[in-house]
Amino acid sequence: MKKSESILVGSGKRQYPVLFTEGKCIPESVSALTASSQSVIIIADATAHALYQKLIAKVLSKIGKRAKLITIPSGERHKNGKHLLGLLESVIALGVDRSATIVAFGGGVTTDIAGCLASMLLRGVKWIAIPTTFLGMVDAAIGGKTGVNSELGKNLIGTFWPPQAVIVSPDFIRTQPRGEFKDSIAEAVKYFAIQRKPSLKDLKLLQKGFPEHDSELSMKIIGQCVRIKAGIVRADERESGVRAFLNFGHTIGHALEFCGSYRYISHGRAVAAGMVGAISLSLKQGLKLSPAVVELQEYCIELASGRKVTIELSEALTALQNDKKRKRGKLMFVLLKEIGKPYLSPAPNSRELRQTVDLSIGALVD
Ligand code: GLY
């Protein structure tokens, strides 16, 4: 993947490009994309704002008086309905009309909440996603899923609202905090589990070399993930089929994040722990143990481990019941026939489910 290339996501009128570009080209790109908007509202999270203040200032100055900046707090715990409504009121107070464009600038939480806001504002306005984290570039900002967490579970409020464009610049990755970067890798590992790409070798190389890794490798990996996701979203934008495979590791992962109050366990760690559980369930249902499966599970354990957290098994099992992928009341899991061959399976019996969730919780311990 070269800087200045693009990948199309989705199909028909809902198709949009993921534009790969250098950070310094972002003001020009945003200005061109928003030329017909009477107002351009940049929503940046506090972390992205602190790191890229100068770049945001350049975007604002390039667009001129039509542009306004709103900063929001960083972190999944702020991704809720109350915050979303407050943010909507702030944007409405700016006197926007339906030609407005929302520019989401930041991590996955920011693209989720700002995209959701765009889908609700005046019954829907355009938006552009500028992910500043590896996780956002490989997954969260791609595919048009927007949303916030409900009091009962993760991402239970939201819309499918494709952006006008996603602008990806691996230049941002170098400034991501190390811990956050490790978290981000889990979403890319998910693609390896369900599509055999990117390779674990490349992912480990990228992680090892962070933050001085060569941007060619990050471009290659991000390009591979975006291409996979683009194909899946083209086939099934609204997740009535293959898109569900992108939730590998997320069924347990979301329950763990919920139990950690979206504060103590990051999304990447939770997904990595969820993948540990999903691999173990897959092994019980027929996945053959091979060096590649062992390597995948060990890598997930490494990515899940971190600061000690206490999670009650009973709480996690209750939280699991609110997963949004339930079908006719039944909890569904994405499992593997082999690496690269995912399938959907109803939850196992309660004893096996307990063992699996317990294993995932165990993976979170350092
Ligand atoms: N993050 C999973 C999806 O976009 O479908």
Side-chain angles (χ1 to χ4, degrees):
M1 197 72 224
K2 291 196 181 71
K3 288 181 185 172
S4 81
E5 272 189 60
S6 67
I7 295 174
L8 289 175
V9 180
S11 55
K13 283 192 178 149
R14 292 168 79 88
Q15 191 173 62
Y16 59 92
V18 177
L19 308 166
F20 288 76
T21 182
E22 288 182 64
K24 63 176 190 234
C25 301
I26 287 177
E28 185 58 51
S29 305
V30 177
S31 165
L33 286 163
T34 58
S36 61
S37 298
Q38 173 253 328
S39 37
V40 179
I41 315 299
I42 301 174
I43 299 181
D45 60 69
T47 310
H49 183 251
L51 287 168
Y52 312 114
Q53 215 158 352
K54 280 194 190 137
L55 178 64
I56 293 175
K58 281 187 190 153
V59 176
L60 288 167
S61 117
K62 181 86 194 166
I63 298 172
K65 280 203 298 256
R66 291 178 301 131
K68 297 277 179 307
L69 170 69
I70 297 180
T71 51
I72 59 173
S74 302
E76 189 75 38
R77 65 185 181 281
H78 301 291
K79 200 182 91 177
N80 53 43
K82 193 169 160 227
H83 189 197
L84 171 64
L85 285 182
L87 201 53
L88 271 162
E89 295 292 359
S90 310
V91 175
I92 292 164
L94 294 172
V96 297
D97 68 19
R98 280 190 171 149
S99 72
T101 301
I102 303 295
V103 179
F105 188 96
V109 168
T110 307
T111 49
D112 275 6
I113 196 167
C116 194
L117 176 143
S119 72
M120 295 168 79
L121 179 67
L122 307 176
R123 300 195 195 283
V125 301
K126 287 182 288 189
W127 74 291
I128 297 168
I130 309 182
T132 56
T133 61
F134 185 71
L135 192 152
M137 292 176 205
V138 299
D139 190 64
I142 316 292
K145 268 190 188 174
T146 80
V148 293
N149 304 321
S150 115
E151 283 180 12
L152 292 179
K154 170 120 175 163
N155 291 344
L156 296 183
I157 302 165
T159 55
F160 288 99
W161 191 248
Q164 185 187 355
V166 181
I167 301 176
V168 166
S169 172
D171 293 347
F172 291 124
I173 298 172
R174 253 173 255 125
T175 34
Q176 237 192 305
R178 178 172 276 281
E180 228 182 66
F181 183 70
K182 182 180 164 225
D183 281 347
S184 294
I185 297 269
E187 286 288 11
V189 172
K190 161 187 91 179
Y191 289 104
F192 169 75
I194 64 168
Q195 293 267 328
R196 306 187 74 90
K197 269 188 194 169
S199 72
L200 289 192
K201 187 168 157 248
D202 276 351
L203 286 167
K204 287 177 182 180
L205 261 179
L206 186 69
Q207 189 192 347
K208 194 160 166 247
F210 177 86
E212 280 89 26
H213 57 71
D214 60 301
S215 82
E216 233 176 78
L217 182 59
S218 37
M219 285 295 249
K220 175 182 164 191
I221 292 174
I222 295 165
Q224 286 173 328
C225 295
V226 174
R227 268 186 226 289
I228 293 172
K229 190 149 186 186
I232 291 177
V233 173
R234 196 174 306 125
D236 176 28
E237 187 199 354
R238 288 179 180 253
E239 204 172 300
S240 46
V242 289
R243 186 162 183 172
F245 297 152
L246 290 169
N247 296 317
F248 182 67
H250 286 60
T251 310
I252 296 176
H254 281 174
L256 298 179
E257 270 187 281
F258 176 84
C259 293
S261 311
Y262 303 116
R263 185 188 287 259
Y264 303 110
I265 309 164
S266 65
H267 181 63
R269 256 186 101 187
V271 168
M275 289 194 284
V276 173
I279 295 166
S280 137
L281 259 187
S282 307
L283 285 166
K284 284 183 187 153
Q285 295 206 6
L287 172 71
K288 290 206 177 63
L289 193 63
S290 66
V293 173
V294 173
E295 187 190 8
L296 173 61
Q297 198 173 32
E298 281 177 356
Y299 193 31
C300 291
I301 292 171
E302 182 200 321
L303 295 172
S305 70
R307 202 160 52 121
K308 192 173 179 323
V309 282
T310 315
I311 293 194
E312 295 299 331
L313 177 58
S314 57
E315 243 185 85
L317 289 166
T318 306
L320 257 185
Q321 299 310 320
N322 285 325
D323 189 84
K324 66 179 178 321
K325 296 176 295 299
R326 272 179 325 216
K327 270 201 178 138
R328 295 191 188 92
K330 237 183 167 354
L331 188 61
M332 300 299 288
F333 277 85
V334 181
L335 302 182
L336 301 176
K337 278 198 187 98
E338 56 186 85
I339 293 179
K341 291 232 163 81
Y343 66 103
L344 274 180
S345 169
N349 64 47
S350 54
R351 191 176 57 86
E352 264 188 30
L353 188 61
R354 282 178 78 81
Q355 283 171 351
T356 308
V357 176
D358 202 28
L359 188 74
S360 289
I361 293 175
L364 291 167
V365 177
D366 225 346

